Amino acid sequence: MVAWIGVDDTDSLQGMCTTFLAAEIVRELTTDYDLVGYPRLVRLNPNVPWKTRGNGAICVRFGHGAGRRTLIGELEGRPIWSHAWARGDDDVWRLRARVSTLVESRSEFQEPTTNPGFCILSGQPAASLYWNAVRRIVSKEEALAAVRSPGVLREYKNGRGIIGALAAAAWRPRDRTYEVLAYRGESRWGTPRVLDPDSVKNMDRSFASTFNNYDYECDRIVIAPHSPCPILFGIRGDDPGVLPAALQTIKGESPAGWIVFETNQGTDDHVIPAPTLEPRTTVQVDTQVLGLPRTIRGGHVVLEMNGLEAVAYEPSKGFRNIVRALRPGDRVRVVGSIRAQPKTLNIEKLQVLSLVEESRKLANPLCLRCQKRAKSMGTRAGFRCARCGQRFPHSAAVRELVSRALEPGWYEPPAGSRRHLSQPLSRRLDRSRRRAAA
Ligand code: ATP
């Protein structure tokens, strides 16, 4: 039997991190139990208003390990092994005191917005809880109703953390990626991180299965957080086997320990593939561009679509030029989150499906009788020969086609302004190539 431990909402912007608590649980419990599978970092709906940062929850599984053993980390100089599966029976209640002590000693209880919760279950909650929590807003009652097996449920303060804790335990990966997290020694918490940017670029180029490492457009490292939390950096990728080697190539501050997590990052699990306009969801909409894109104060670019405005915000940098290059009549597939007030779609990425022809006027129509160019009668009002009075429609102007600055295909913001859950285009292409080759 496997004990499914889910934890959420232990940290604040001032410090700590739920993934560090995962490392603490692994460090403490691997002295008596075996870790089963990879520890899991499960991102939930990025549009939840009460999240601290990236709406991440964790799930770790323990039992009497069996099957193949994999090295998945190193903590305090001790190798951390994970087993393929577990055998025999165990009592989830026996873990309760040790997990409570860790959660209670490592949670930011003084923060008003920190509301920890954890579960220790002998089986996973219903799969639907994960899908609802990654795509919609879930109530505590709904989360508790998804529990299917006996175990421990523990809530602190308003207990909201139990939603994420149970949703993380409910995750059955349809698609998955991995992230190796490097931890800082406690004496360094809150001090500036020392990482060599060139080594990050080299790692990015040498390990093709990793992604979102360096933002070449803004020339900055993406693997390191900016908060005073205990994480030094995290490298994301599709192949867990190469992540420890990738970690070794990063120059600068030495990590005090590391763990490879299995995650739903970069999977697009949060995207509802239907054009629902429910606020606080992320949707995919196929639509036609209605008006010319406009740049508003703050550098944000607004695109008028059928019944809704879509916005590419300033941090998406050069991606805004793609949006600016769209023209009325173009067909696009837009992925983005629905904001409640004002009701807009915050663009995460887009696919140009088809482009209209764009032309520019070279000259007014020629009046063949007078051999003179007709005069314009105003915007879209057509033309008139000033000499003989003959009228010409607006479409009679002499025009030439101009080449469009865009091609059909997918476009995304630079690595530094992507959402954790958003599937990078490099990964999307790689997966479709692998599918085609299979
Ligand atoms: P970090 O990424 O730094 O670990 P965070 O961004 O995950 O922090 P939390 O402090 O964990 O933020 O807060 C998120 C809170 O929202 C948790 O209490 C979690 O249970 C709850 N939550 C997560 N997803 C949903 C959802 N879909 N509906 C309702 N509540 C949710």
Side-chain angles (χ1 to χ4, degrees):
M1 191 202 70
V2 175
W4 296 78
I5 304 177
V7 188
D8 197 13
D9 211 342
T10 61
D11 57 1
S12 74
L13 288 174
Q14 273 60 55
M16 290 316 293
C17 166
T18 308
T19 51
F20 174 70
L21 184 58
E24 289 288 274
I25 295 174
V26 168
R27 186 180 58 77
E28 164 81 19
L29 296 188
T30 43
T31 52
D32 301 307
Y33 297 88
D34 296 319
L35 188 60
V36 181
Y38 286 91
R40 290 177 163 180
L41 164 57
V42 183
R43 301 281 177 185
L44 300 170
N45 187 352
N47 311 303
V48 157
W50 41 82
K51 67 179 182 173
T52 308
R53 283 177 292 249
N55 204 4
I58 56 123
C59 171
V60 276
R61 294 160 287 168
F62 288 94
H64 295 293
R68 202 160 65 93
R69 219 172 60 134
T70 311
L71 180 70
I72 61 106
E74 189 182 305
L75 295 172
E76 293 181 331
R78 184 161 61 86
I80 303 293
W81 297 94
S82 153
H83 294 258
W85 43 279
R87 61 182 152 71
D89 270 346
D90 216 331
D91 177 6
V92 291
W93 294 90
R94 286 206 304 154
L95 295 166
R96 181 195 164 118
R98 287 164 82 179
V99 176
S100 302
T101 306
L102 285 166
V103 171
E104 286 162 22
S105 62
R106 294 295 194 184
S107 292
E108 301 271 293
F109 280 104
Q110 73 288 357
E111 280 301 315
T113 54
T114 300
N115 297 289
F118 74 83
C119 63
I120 313 174
L121 300 171
S122 52
Q124 287 185 277
S128 55
L129 173 61
Y130 165 71
W131 289 106
N132 287 333
V134 78
R135 291 182 170 179
R136 299 199 154 82
I137 302 292
V138 170
S139 68
K140 202 158 82 180
E141 293 66 36
E142 208 179 327
L144 293 170
V147 175
R148 295 279 178 272
S149 49
V152 179
L153 298 170
R154 186 87 165 86
E155 299 172 20
Y156 300 88
K157 297 167 69 182
N158 78 14
R160 189 186 278 145
I162 198 71
I163 301 172
L166 287 168
W171 181 42
R172 292 151 175 89
R174 227 155 51 184
D175 181 17
R176 55 167 75 77
T177 63
Y178 298 85
E179 178 164 2
V180 61
L181 284 178
Y183 298 98
R184 310 184 82 189
E186 196 156 348
S187 62
R188 298 221 191 221
W189 294 357
T191 63
R193 293 170 177 85
V194 183
L195 293 174
D196 171 28
D198 286 336
S199 70
V200 178
K201 285 190 236 177
N202 286 338
M203 181 276 291
D204 182 54
R205 291 181 187 126
S206 314
F207 293 89
S209 60
T210 64
F211 56 85
N212 288 0
N213 297 313
Y214 199 85
D215 187 332
Y216 292 94
E217 186 180 332
C218 304
D219 201 16
R220 67 182 175 93
I221 290 173
V222 180
I223 61 172
H226 300 290
S227 62
C229 75
I231 305 295
L232 180 58
F233 61 81
I235 305 173
R236 298 166 185 205
D238 271 299
D239 180 356
V242 305
L243 290 177
L247 173 137
Q248 296 299 333
T249 66
I250 304 299
K251 298 197 179 108
E253 193 180 321
S254 301
W258 57 272
I259 289 188
V260 177
F261 284 80
E262 181 180 37
T263 95
N264 61 347
Q265 294 171 153
T267 61
D268 268 354
D269 270 4
H270 64 312
V271 180
I272 300 175
T276 160
L277 296 185
E278 194 183 319
R280 297 185 176 140
T281 60
T282 304
V283 297
Q284 178 173 298
V285 191
D286 287 3
T287 185
Q288 191 166 37
V289 176
L290 289 188
L292 279 176
R294 15 179 250 286
T295 302
I296 59 168
R297 210 147 60 108
H300 318 303
V301 180
V302 181
L303 189 66
E304 205 187 317
M305 313 185 317
N306 275 339
L308 190 68
E309 286 194 329
V311 187
Y313 284 95
E314 191 280 333
S316 63
K317 302 292 172 195
F319 174 69
R320 291 171 302 162
N321 292 334
I322 303 299
V323 179
R324 283 190 188 108
L326 289 167
R327 292 290 170 265
D330 289 346
R331 288 203 59 79
V332 285
R333 172 166 296 162
V334 185
V335 174
S337 51
I338 303 290
R339 188 174 143 164
Q341 233 8 289
K343 199 157 200 171
T344 48
L345 186 147
N346 179 0
I347 310 177
E348 237 172 76
K349 61 184 160 213
L350 69 80
Q351 182 182 16
V352 175
L353 298 171
S354 66
L355 295 166
V356 291
E357 282 185 340
E358 193 182 12
S359 63
R360 89 186 146 90
K361 195 178 93 176
L362 287 180
N364 290 355
L366 182 70
C367 173
L368 291 174
R369 213 180 302 152
C370 310
Q371 287 300 306
K372 288 219 165 282
R373 295 267 166 209
K375 294 259 184 287
S376 168
M377 297 193 294
T379 314
R380 302 194 74 83
F383 304 88
R384 195 170 148 268
C385 175
R387 198 145 162 223
C388 68
Q390 188 182 346
R391 288 170 181 265
F392 301 88
H394 170 73
S395 58
V398 184
R399 306 190 71 86
E400 72 167 354
L401 286 180
V402 289
S403 68
R404 297 289 308 268
L406 278 178
E407 280 178 8
W410 278 100
Y411 297 88
E412 68 184 344
S417 48
R418 290 179 204 149
R419 289 196 133 155
H420 295 296
L421 275 160
S422 194
Q423 184 173 80
L425 298 185
S426 59
R427 195 168 177 259
R428 180 181 281 261
L429 287 172
D430 212 40
R431 291 186 78 217
S432 50
R433 258 188 237 121
R434 269 186 277 140
R435 264 201 302 270

